[in-house]
Amino acid sequence: MAPNRIGVYGFLSRAHIEHALAGDLAVAGKAADVEARLDATQADLDDIKARIAQLDQTRTVATKGHTKTTTVGDQGPARANLVREREAAETALADLRIEKAKVYGERKAVEADLGPVRYLATLIGATDEVAMRYSILVVALLLDPAAVLLLLAATHRRPD
């Protein structure tokens, strides 16, 4: 029974670690990708807004008792193109924020898979890994002897 207990403990420990790690890696990779694209799109949007503001700048010039307001830069087609680029960047930014929310939901689902372990850890005042190891140890120690007892009970003959 001892080698069986060790095998069960090792198998269950590995399964738990692989499951937790796979979920964390998948979500962390997606989150990092979305966050990087979100930052890049925000930088592009800020640049476009700055260029539009530069085109929209006005200068007041005083000449011999008269004031004249002039527009700096050409506001014609260049500004219209920048406005379209800004709208496209804003749409892309909104889409990335939605994607970020979905990744956050996936992260919560992965955390929910580990909910019972976290509850047990809180209950015994330990970390998640320690709580999981204790629960696996209990399973390995209790179920193997119970299986042997059931096998003995099933094969025991009653006297007629």
Side-chain angles (χ1 to χ4, degrees), residues 116-156:
V117 173
R118 292 210 171 118
Y119 175 75
L120 180 63
T122 303
L123 191 63
I124 64 173
T127 65
D128 292 352
E129 292 303 315
V130 171
M132 192 64 201
R133 288 183 184 182
Y134 281 142
S135 63
I136 291 170
L137 187 62
V138 167
V139 166
L141 291 176
L142 294 180
L143 292 184
D144 203 32
V148 170
L149 288 175
L150 286 173
L151 182 64
L152 289 174
T155 59
H156 179 69

Side-chain angles (χ1 to χ4, degrees), residues 5-160:
R5 287 179 186 170
I6 292 170
V8 167
Y9 181 80
F11 178 75
L12 291 176
S13 295
R14 187 184 82 210
H16 166 69
I17 291 169
E18 285 176 353
H19 177 71
L21 186 62
D24 285 345
L25 286 177
V27 172
K30 286 181 184 178
D33 177 53
V34 169
E35 198 63 42
R37 289 187 293 147
L38 195 60
D39 291 343
T41 304
Q42 184 65 53
D44 288 346
L45 181 61
D46 292 342
D47 180 55
I48 292 168
K49 285 180 178 180
R51 291 188 320 194
I52 290 173
Q54 187 178 21
L55 285 177
D56 289 346
Q57 272 184 345
T58 57
R59 183 184 307 157
T60 303
V61 179
T63 57
K64 295 185 184 181
H66 299 289
T67 54
K68 181 172 110 175
T69 304
T70 59
T71 303
V72 177
D74 180 19
Q75 290 189 6
R79 187 178 193 289
N81 289 338
L82 285 174
V83 168
R84 281 193 295 277
E85 285 181 36
R86 182 191 67 202
E87 290 169 352
E90 287 171 344
T91 301
L93 196 61
D95 291 342
L96 285 171
R97 286 185 177 140
I98 291 169
E99 191 174 341
K100 182 179 178 180
K102 288 178 184 176
V103 170
Y104 181 75
E106 288 178 24
R107 175 172 282 156
K108 287 296 183 184
V110 168
E111 289 176 2
D113 284 346
L114 301 175
V117 173
R118 292 210 171 118
Y119 175 75
L120 180 63
T122 303
L123 191 63
I124 64 173
T127 65
D128 292 352
E129 292 303 315
V130 171
M132 192 64 201
R133 288 183 184 182
Y134 281 142
S135 63
I136 291 170
L137 187 62
V138 167
V139 166
L141 291 176
L142 294 180
L143 292 184
D144 203 32
V148 170
L149 288 175
L150 286 173
L151 182 64
L152 289 174
T155 59
H156 179 69
R157 290 188 170 241
R158 287 191 224 167
D160 290 330

